[in-house]
Amino acid sequence: MMKLLIIFSICAALSVNMVFSLKFLNNKECLYGKGRSYRGTVSRSSNGRRCLSWSKARKSWLSTENHNYCRNPNNNLKPWCYVRKGDRIVREFCDIPKCFKPTVNPTTTPTRPVDTEWTCGERSAQRMNKIVGGSFIPIESHPWIAAIYQRKFLCGGSLISPNWVLTAAHCFVDGNKTRLQDLSVYLGKTEIKETDPEREQVFTVEKLIIHHKYNEQNFNNDMALLKISNKKGQGAFKTDSVRTVCLPPLKTYLPPGFPCSIAGFGKERFGFSSYSNRLKKANVNLLSSTDCKRDESYKALLTDNMICAASPDWSEDACKGDSGGPLVCEVSGRMFLFGVVSWGDGCASENKPGVYTKVTNYNNWIAKETGLTEYTKGLMYPQK
C-alpha cells in the first residue's frame, strides 16, 4: 500500500539577484563531498592495488554486490575498497576526481525594491545529534520549516516569504473545503509538543490555495500554499529561528547523485504509532528517473512533476508526518527548495525512494497565486 511521506521546502525575498551557473563532470565518474553517491568504475586503490570484489571479500559492507568498484558505504572520508596486502585483506582509499559544484553568482540588484531584512536560504546553526536514520537538529539549522496544525500536528511546510508557506496538497483531505479556523502555523519550532515563546512565532491561516490540477490518485501537482498572519495582521519576522528558504530558478536541473537534505517531525520508523517530537534531518541524494522506477509500483505513478531522492544505503528517508516539508539542496552557501515531501512506498525501503513535488516546475504558479514577482532569473521578490 502506498504510504504518504513528507519533507520540507520553500523560498523568499532576496536583497540581491542571482543566477545559477551549473558545471558538472559526469556524475558517475566524480564525487560530491565524501563520495557516498559515487557510482563510477575506478577499481584500484590510491596505492595502485587492484580492488577485490565486494562479494568475494566477504565483509559486511556491500557483500552482496558482485563488482570491485570503489565505494563509500560507511560514510568514510572518501570512497575505498578492499585490497589484498600480503596475506591480509585491508581497506584502502581510492583517488576519485571531484565534481564541479554549482555556483550562484551575484549580478545586478533587482529593478523593484525588496525587503533587505530578508535573505533566503541562510542558516544560523548546524548543530546536530546523530541517531539511527537521521539526526535531531535545532530549528536554527533549518529555520524555514513550518509546523502546520489542524487542532493537532498535521504536516510540515516551508516559509518562502514572510506571509507564505509552501506545503503539500495531500495534507488537506477536505481540499478547498478545509476550515481555515482549524488551521494554525508555527515557525521556529523544534519540538511539536512543547512551546518555546522566545523562538516560536504563531500564525492563523488567511487563505489556503491547493493546486488546481492536484490529482489525489497519483499525487501529481501535490502542492499547496498557505497565506499566514499573526494577531496583528503581520507576517513572519526574521530571527535566528525563522528565515525563508530560496526558490531555485525555473526548470533548474541538478544531476542524479547531488546531495540534499530533508527535515521534519515525521515517524522515525515505518509503522511507528507516533510522530517524532523533535525536529529531525536526514541526508539524501537525488536519483535519476530510471533509478526511481526500478520498483514496478513507481512506474505507473511517477510524472515529470516529481523527483526522487534516497540515501545511498536506503537507511534514511522521509516518512509519514514529514509530508509538505522541504527537500533542500545547498548551492554556494544558500539552501534552495527543490522538492516538497509528497509520497513513497513505506519508509527507507530498498528501491522505494521518497518522491517529492518538483518545485522548479511551479515558479509561475507560485508567483501568480502569491503576488510574489518572478524574475527571469527564477528568484521571488515581494511586489511593492
Side-chain angles (χ1 to χ4, degrees):
M1 179 183 295
M2 301 307 298
K3 302 293 183 181
L4 298 183
L5 296 177
I6 319 161
I7 42 174
F8 297 72
S9 69
I10 248 160
C11 157
L14 272 176
S15 59
V16 295
N17 196 1
M18 300 178 184
V19 57
F20 272 85
S21 174
L22 301 180
K23 297 181 180 179
F24 299 102
L25 289 174
N26 184 333
N27 184 63
K28 291 183 178 180
E29 297 298 335
C30 61
L31 61 84
Y32 294 105
K34 295 181 180 179
R36 290 190 66 184
S37 63
Y38 173 71
R39 292 298 181 270
T41 57
V42 172
S43 58
R44 288 189 179 276
S45 72
S46 300
N47 294 324
R49 295 185 177 91
R50 183 174 179 79
C51 297
L52 299 176
S53 170
W54 292 92
S55 60
K56 292 181 180 179
R58 297 182 179 179
K59 303 288 184 178
S60 58
W61 299 109
L62 303 180
S63 60
T64 60
E65 296 196 15
N66 189 25
H67 63 74
N68 68 334
Y69 305 137
C70 300
R71 295 290 184 263
N72 188 6
N74 61 338
N75 198 30
N76 212 318
L77 296 176
K78 60 181 180 178
W80 54 274
C81 68
Y82 291 110
V83 300
R84 189 174 296 281
K85 189 175 182 181
D87 59 354
R88 294 184 300 141
I89 294 178
V90 299
R91 300 179 190 178
E92 289 188 349
F93 287 120
C94 305
D95 289 331
I96 312 293
K98 291 185 177 181
C99 304
F100 289 104
K101 294 182 178 180
T103 58
V104 178
N105 301 320
T107 55
T108 59
T109 55
T111 56
R112 293 178 184 268
V114 300
D115 182 356
T116 57
E117 293 302 312
W118 284 89
T119 52
C120 70
E122 294 180 337
R123 297 178 289 187
S124 56
Q126 298 187 47
R127 302 185 311 274
M128 61 185 65
N129 301 301
K130 297 294 287 184
I131 64 166
V132 175
S135 309
F136 287 129
I137 58 171
I139 187 62
E140 287 82 3
S141 66
H142 280 61
W144 41 83
I145 288 180
I148 303 170
Y149 287 71
Q150 190 174 27
R151 297 193 181 93
K152 60 182 179 180
F153 177 74
L154 179 67
C155 275
S158 302
L159 186 69
I160 55 172
S161 83
N163 289 99
W164 290 96
V165 167
L166 186 65
T167 186
H170 80 254
C171 292
F172 308 97
V173 294
D174 294 326
N176 290 318
K177 296 181 180 180
T178 301
R179 287 164 47 93
L180 298 186
Q181 57 266 41
D182 293 338
L183 298 176
S184 57
V185 175
Y186 286 75
L187 300 173
K189 201 168 190 61
T190 296
E191 300 185 19
I192 60 174
K193 296 180 181 178
E194 303 293 334
T195 300
D196 185 349
E198 293 186 359
R199 292 198 287 180
E200 294 178 13
Q201 298 178 37
V202 187
F203 303 87
T204 57
V205 176
E206 292 184 7
K207 185 184 295 186
L208 165 63
I209 303 173
I210 294 176
H211 196 281
H212 57 289
K213 291 186 178 181
Y214 168 58
N215 184 339
E216 62 181 9
Q217 302 301 316
N218 68 346
F219 307 108
N220 195 30
N221 301 302
D222 189 9
M223 187 171 285
L225 287 159
L226 298 175
K227 186 176 184 181
I228 61 173
S229 63
N230 60 19
K231 292 181 179 180
K232 296 181 179 180
Q234 301 170 333
F237 54 92
K238 181 182 178 182
T239 66
D240 285 346
S241 57
V242 177
R243 302 189 178 192
T244 55
V245 68
C246 300
L247 284 178
L250 184 68
K251 303 295 184 182
T252 301
Y253 169 78
L254 293 179
F258 197 88
C260 301
S261 65
I262 55 179
F265 298 96
K267 296 183 178 182
E268 296 181 40
R269 288 289 186 276
F270 180 68
F272 272 26
S273 59
S274 61
Y275 298 142
S276 170
N277 181 48
R278 295 176 61 191
L279 182 64
K280 287 187 67 179
K281 168 197 168 185
N283 296 317
V284 294
N285 297 325
L286 300 182
L287 298 179
S288 67
S289 178
T290 300
D291 286 338
C292 189
K293 294 178 180 178
R294 289 187 185 279
D295 188 274
E296 288 295 326
S297 63
Y298 279 63
K299 288 184 179 180
L301 296 176
L302 209 66
T303 74
D304 290 339
N305 292 319
M306 304 172 187
I307 54 175
C308 300
S311 63
D313 59 0
W314 304 98
S315 65
E316 300 182 7
D317 193 8
C319 200
K320 189 172 184 180
D322 291 318
S323 293
L327 169 74
V328 293
C329 310
E330 184 173 359
V331 179
S332 293
R334 290 186 187 270
M335 304 304 292
F336 285 80
L337 180 65
F338 276 87
V340 173
V341 178
S342 183
W343 63 273
D345 189 354
C347 306
S349 298
E350 188 169 352
N351 292 322
K352 295 182 179 181
V355 183
Y356 306 86
T357 304
K358 188 188 298 183
V359 174
T360 55
N361 282 8
Y362 296 91
N363 296 56
N364 294 334
W365 178 78
I366 293 171
K368 176 184 176 182
E369 298 295 343
T370 62
L372 297 172
T373 301
E374 182 189 37
Y375 287 87
T376 57
K377 302 305 181 187
L379 298 173
M380 312 301 291
Y381 299 93
Q383 290 183 335
K384 296 293 183 177

